Amino acid sequence: MQEIRLRVVIIGNSSVGKTSILNQLIDHSFNPNTNATVGANYQVLVSEVDGRRFEMQIWDTAGQEKFQALGPLYYRDSDAAVVVYDQTNRASFENAEKWVSAFKDTAGSLATIALVSNKADLIDQTEVSFDEGKSTADSKGYLFFQTSALDGNG
Ligand code: GTP
Ligand code: MG
């Protein structure tokens, strides 16, 4: 079987839910009281699609300002970035493009970008609508997903 290895980084402001998304993806669990990530950690996700085996090394990076200088270490040789914002926090959405450009500076402009609107379960507190996120992603050629790390939707 054909084997494809991919390297993916999850980036975005602190507390948007990057670690929570990866935990939900790998363990199907949610922790309401996570600690801020220090440096970065990775998990491996293996899946088979159309007779090909994909092995994805998924890096969960730290969003806190004090870790920002480390970014390029993790971005190098990445095939894709998952750029997460918290849809209940407009500032995190407005910062998403800064994360994309820092990523592209190191990984190059051919890497895939997926924009992710997380915390979709907090409907009452939403500051950035699905349509606004989706049209921003469409205009820049990014994939777009709305997710909840709490309930696993998306
Ligand atoms: P850094 O590691 O500092 O960059 O933050 P992070 O992006 O990894 O955020 P983290 O996953 O630690 O989540 C921050 C807080 O948001 C935690 O209290 C999570 O439980 C909560 N949280 C994350 N995703 C969701 C979600 O989809 N819905 C809700 N309601 N809370 C979420
Ligand atoms: Mg984290």
Side-chain angles (χ1 to χ4, degrees):
M1 186 181 294
Q2 192 184 359
E3 272 216 10
I4 297 168
R5 288 210 164 79
L6 296 171
R7 183 183 164 99
V8 178
V9 290
I10 311 179
I11 58 182
N13 276 15
S14 183
S15 87
V16 296
K18 299 179 296 298
T19 298
S20 302
I21 287 172
L22 191 55
N23 287 344
Q24 182 60 255
L25 184 67
I26 303 286
D27 300 329
H28 310 293
S29 66
F30 176 75
N31 177 357
N33 303 303
T34 53
N35 292 318
T37 301
V38 174
N41 311 288
Y42 77 91
Q43 308 239 37
V44 175
L45 183 73
V46 176
S47 64
E48 270 180 40
V49 181
D50 296 336
R52 294 186 295 180
R53 184 176 181 276
F54 288 86
E55 190 179 301
M56 263 188 281
Q57 196 179 79
I58 308 177
W59 284 86
D60 170 29
T61 65
Q64 286 182 345
E65 195 87 37
K66 61 183 169 185
F67 297 114
Q68 244 151 60
L70 296 174
L73 287 175
Y74 304 110
Y75 305 164
R76 190 172 309 139
D77 296 327
S78 291
D79 300 289
V82 174
V83 184
V84 182
Y85 65 89
D86 171 353
Q87 66 175 44
T88 72
N89 179 330
R90 175 159 286 276
S92 72
F93 171 69
E94 278 160 7
N95 233 13
E97 197 49 36
K98 289 191 193 133
W99 288 101
V100 173
S101 62
F103 173 75
K104 285 188 167 171
D105 282 349
T106 299
S109 56
L110 293 177
T112 297
I113 308 286
L115 186 64
V116 170
S117 176
N118 190 42
K119 308 200 186 182
D121 56 285
L122 299 175
I123 296 161
D124 294 349
Q125 296 165 49
T126 296
E127 294 183 358
V128 184
S129 69
F130 177 94
D131 288 350
E132 185 175 4
K134 168 87 170 110
S135 63
T136 299
D138 285 350
S139 72
K140 306 206 154 152
Y142 309 154
L143 303 172
F144 181 72
F145 301 91
Q146 188 177 46
T147 62
S148 167
L150 184 148
D151 60 28
N153 279 328

